[in-house]
Amino acid sequence: MTRTVRARALVLGIATALTLAACSGGSDTASSPTAGGKGLEKTTIKVGALPIPDPAALYIANAKGFFKAEGLTVEPVIIQGGAAALPQIKSGALDISHTNYVSTFLAASRGEKIRVVGDVYQAAPNTFNLMVPKDSPLNSVADLKGKTVLVNTLNNIGTLTVEATMKVAGLTKDDVKFVEKPFPDMANALSTGQGDAAWMTEPFITATQSQSGFRKLADTMSGQTADLPIAAWMATDEWVQKYPKTLAAFNRAIAKAQQLVASDRKEVEAVLPTYTKIDAKTASVITLGAFPTTLNATRLQRVADLMLEYKYIQSPIDVKTILVGATG
């Protein structure tokens, strides 16, 4: 099944609204009513997002006025990763944030009071690859033994999928050194010898291939990790309870945008250059995953089970206890 077919199939499912959340150190006073006539607890919210395709719906909802129609002002804030954004969520510097499921479920297993309030992105072939410079001596995953692998944050979806990929080659996490590096800095870090391989996503995969001749060492979303759920929106449990009307308004706006990106890649291509450093030509040829329009507990349980297998968590997690508004 092609990525386009997968994406369209998701759209034809139940178009349940994604529930992004928000709360920021901005204005906390009573607001003007939304288009539906219901007053929001908060009208200005800050939302963390990585400069990658996953959160395209956030920027589309802003550009097309979906948030404005709900009485919301949404301020996107660039983050390094879900784990790095967690302290900002807890402090109120961010109201809600783009995150990966591994970091979120790991934090929840440690007692953090956070909730997944919307699905964002799902992997497809060649959407998350191990990349190396064109002149690298590495030719297979087995060659990674004793090498340094760059990931955007530690103990996240990147390290987990790299571990799963190395397992097939007979290696474990102890055979490599993982080092944090933001996605936009990875190409330069590899070129200057700060790492031997990097776990990259789009648009950086295509950009480094076309601009620097980087090559793929392995697709980390195949076999055991094929079509793996990747990204979500998270908020604190306290925020979810405190701002239900704001949450519902954000949910309605982001749902409209998510349906657009799920059904028409041209929407993603058009918005990517507005919040990443990628140009329109590169945006038109990058490989995209799927954009789910429902938050399905059965599908997401797969991530938690994989985390248990690779000892990211010590006991099973029922993801339904972490999700807000999930089906399945």
Side-chain angles (χ1 to χ4, degrees):
M1 185 181 289
T2 67
R3 291 185 294 276
T4 301
V5 171
R6 279 198 300 269
R8 292 184 183 277
L10 287 165
V11 176
L12 293 174
I14 304 171
T16 302
L18 289 173
T19 38
L20 265 172
C23 161
S24 164
S27 116
D28 210 71
T29 57
S31 67
S32 58
T34 67
K38 297 181 180 180
L40 303 182
E41 302 92 353
K42 218 177 179 192
T43 57
T44 298
I45 57 178
K46 291 185 179 180
V47 180
L50 281 157
I52 58 179
D54 306 24
L58 178 72
Y59 295 89
I60 287 174
N62 250 346
K64 294 184 179 295
F66 296 162
F67 291 132
K68 184 177 180 180
E70 294 289 347
L72 284 172
T73 297
V74 174
E75 301 176 1
V77 178
I78 296 298
I79 61 169
Q80 182 173 333
L86 182 58
Q88 295 171 277
I89 286 287
K90 292 170 63 178
S91 71
L94 292 175
D95 300 307
I96 139 176
S97 183
H98 179 198
T99 185
N100 70 87
Y101 283 109
V102 173
S103 294
T104 305
F105 292 162
L106 180 60
S109 74
R110 293 171 174 170
E112 298 286 359
K113 303 299 182 182
I114 54 175
R115 306 293 294 276
V116 168
V117 295
D119 205 349
V120 174
Y121 198 64
Q122 177 177 309
N126 294 310
T127 51
F128 295 87
N129 292 343
L130 276 170
M131 302 293 293
V132 296
K134 61 182 179 181
D135 58 353
S136 170
L138 306 182
N139 294 303
S140 70
V141 175
D143 293 336
L144 286 173
K145 187 169 184 177
K147 304 300 182 182
T148 297
V149 178
L150 306 180
V151 292
N152 64 313
T153 57
L154 300 176
N155 297 317
N156 75 340
I157 195 79
T159 54
L160 177 63
T161 55
V162 170
E163 284 184 47
T165 302
M166 291 193 301
K167 181 180 179 181
V168 178
L171 302 181
T172 71
K173 64 180 179 181
D174 296 326
D175 289 313
V176 301
K177 179 182 180 182
F178 286 113
V179 172
E180 286 188 346
K181 189 69 62 174
F183 284 125
D185 299 338
M186 285 183 178
N188 182 64
L190 285 186
S191 298
T192 56
Q194 298 175 50
D196 300 292
W199 182 76
M200 292 186 180
T201 187
E202 294 285 22
F204 305 104
I205 293 171
T206 297
T208 56
Q209 286 176 324
S210 62
Q211 297 170 13
S212 305
F214 280 29
R215 55 187 173 83
K216 179 181 77 173
L217 189 67
D219 178 1
T220 65
M221 298 297 170
S222 62
Q224 189 179 28
T225 54
D227 300 321
L228 193 70
I230 299 296
W233 299 112
M234 70 172 172
T236 65
D237 186 64
E238 179 184 7
W239 189 90
V240 170
Q241 300 299 322
K242 188 175 182 180
Y243 302 105
K245 292 179 182 178
T246 303
L247 175 62
F250 197 82
N251 166 40
R252 290 188 293 269
I254 205 71
K256 292 178 183 178
Q258 188 79 351
Q259 289 180 55
L260 285 178
V261 297
S263 60
D264 186 357
R265 84 165 270 144
K266 291 296 183 183
E267 293 284 357
V268 184
E269 292 176 14
V271 79
L272 268 178
T274 69
Y275 69 96
T276 70
K277 295 180 179 180
I278 195 169
D279 57 37
K281 180 180 179 181
T282 305
S284 69
V285 296
I286 66 172
T287 302
L288 292 176
F291 296 88
T293 56
T294 61
L295 187 63
N296 184 275
T298 300
R299 189 168 57 83
L300 300 182
Q301 187 64 47
R302 179 183 169 203
V303 179
D305 293 345
L306 195 64
M307 291 173 65
L308 183 63
E309 178 182 342
Y310 284 88
K311 302 187 185 307
Y312 276 60
I313 52 178
Q314 303 307 310
S315 58
I317 291 178
D318 180 358
V319 301
K320 289 181 181 178
T321 63
I322 305 168
L323 310 181
V324 176
T327 64

